[in-house]
């Protein structure tokens, strides 16, 4: 099994280029991030080239406090598309594999139409993978995209070849459960898989989800890209990495 370090949670005390180097030293096969925009892209690209790690993805900006994204917010099309353009430009500069377009805290049919329009725009603007991710109601109350069924319906309706699902085992475990069955069912539309302990979002070697079993099922399904370690280490990241050799 291969793993990607999510540098939105791991080695957050380090500048992003140094966090990339730390992930390489720890034995990760790839990295991913949340919002790298305060770091010059050329510095990130240099660290990726130095370590040989691919950057799997990044997020569009969240917008104002509490918005949690812009793409589904009615009346914010200009801001949403500016965030998409910014994310694509940064992804191009560092050769990131995917862009997670964040929907925002909103609901209703107008939000649905806005989200779908902005996803069409994003998918047409880049050949890179565009990801959408359902967030659980405990961590992100009111977030527009809140279930894998809802995400699958959008992906199927738009039928865009580079629109995929970010399947986060943590979010699915918090609100839907039945993680491995959902993975198998959704595999054709999944673009990236992430994980963390349930319910505390810590390292995956504790909690109510048996990740040794989950990872085994992922391997059995034939999934080969690195799995994204998007968990809160609860202290120095290095002290949380025992799962890499025990799971």
């Amino acid at each position: 099994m291969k793993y990607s370090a999510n540098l939105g949670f791991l080695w957050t005390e380090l500048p992003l280029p140094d966090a990339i180097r730390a992930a390489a030293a720890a034995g990760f096969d790839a990295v991913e991030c949340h919002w790298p925009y305060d770091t010059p892209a050329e510095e990130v690209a240099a660290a990726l080239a130095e370590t040989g790690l691919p950057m799997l993805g990044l997020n569009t900006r969240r917008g104002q406090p509490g918005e949690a994204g812009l793409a589904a917010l009615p009346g914010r099309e200009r801001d949403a598309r500016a965030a998409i353009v910014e994310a694509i430009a940064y992804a191009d500069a560092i050769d990131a594999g995917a862009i997670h377009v964040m929907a925002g805290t909103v609901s209703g049919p107008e939000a649905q139409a806005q989200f779908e329009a902005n996803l069409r725009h994003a998918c047409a603007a880049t050949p890179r993978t565009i990801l959408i991710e359902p967030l659980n109601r405990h961590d992100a109350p009111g977030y527009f995209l809140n279930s894998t069924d809802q995400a699958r319906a959008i992906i199927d309706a738009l039928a865009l070849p580079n629109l995929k699902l970010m399947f986060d085992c943590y979010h699915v475990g918090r609100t839907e459960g039945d993680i491995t069955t959902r993975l198998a069912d959704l595999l054709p539309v999944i673009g990236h898989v992430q994980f963390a302990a349930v319910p505390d979002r810590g390292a995956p070697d504790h909690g109510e989800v048996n990740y040794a079993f989950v990872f085994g099922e992922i391997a059995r399904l034939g999934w080969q890209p690195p799995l994204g370690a998007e968990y809160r280490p609860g202290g120095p990241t290095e002290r949380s990495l025992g799962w890499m050799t025990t799971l």
Side-chain angles (χ1 to χ4, degrees):
M1 192 68 66
K2 296 180 179 180
Y3 301 110
S4 168
N6 190 297
L7 303 179
F9 285 162
L10 305 182
W11 289 289
T12 56
E13 75 281 5
L14 299 177
L16 185 53
D18 289 340
I20 293 168
R21 296 180 181 101
F28 281 94
D29 304 287
V31 290
E32 56 200 69
C33 60
H34 290 162
W35 303 282
Y37 305 106
D38 291 337
T39 304
E42 58 269 22
E43 295 181 12
V44 174
L48 294 172
E50 174 189 325
T51 60
L53 296 184
M55 177 68 76
L56 299 189
L58 52 85
N59 297 346
T60 56
R61 287 191 187 267
R62 290 172 288 187
Q64 299 301 314
E67 287 183 330
L70 298 164
L73 302 188
R76 299 293 297 281
E77 179 179 297
R78 179 177 296 180
D79 293 335
R81 297 198 177 183
I84 289 167
V85 168
E86 176 188 41
I88 291 171
Y90 202 102
D92 287 346
I94 66 170
D95 196 22
I99 297 161
H100 169 209
V101 174
M102 298 194 68
T105 304
V106 67
S107 63
E110 191 176 357
Q112 176 91 15
Q114 187 68 72
F115 192 41
E116 291 182 359
N118 283 325
L119 290 175
R120 288 190 190 95
H121 174 80
C123 288
T126 180
R128 299 184 188 278
T129 300
I130 298 297
L131 296 171
I132 58 174
E133 179 184 21
L135 305 184
N136 77 77
R137 63 180 179 273
H138 306 287
D139 293 352
Y143 191 73
F144 174 77
L145 194 63
N146 52 58
S147 76
T148 55
D149 284 341
Q150 181 190 12
R152 177 68 176 269
I154 290 171
I155 291 169
D156 287 349
L158 295 181
L160 299 166
N162 57 333
L163 180 61
K164 299 291 183 179
L165 171 68
M166 178 120 73
F167 187 101
D168 190 327
C169 298
Y170 165 74
H171 287 297
V172 175
R174 287 284 272 155
T175 55
E176 300 180 45
D178 207 12
I179 291 171
T180 54
T181 300
R182 300 300 295 149
L183 264 165
D185 179 58
L186 292 162
L187 193 65
V189 299
I190 292 176
H192 186 43
V193 178
Q194 295 177 325
F195 62 89
V198 177
D200 69 357
R201 206 169 194 174
D205 52 5
H206 71 280
E208 64 187 49
V209 174
N210 179 357
Y211 272 107
F213 177 80
V214 172
F215 291 166
E217 285 297 290
I218 291 171
R220 185 185 65 80
L221 290 169
W223 183 265
Q224 295 184 348
L227 307 178
E230 192 186 37
Y231 68 87
R232 300 185 188 280
T237 299
E238 286 82 1
R239 295 182 185 175
S240 75
L241 299 178
W243 59 269
M244 293 181 73
T245 56
T246 61
L247 291 182

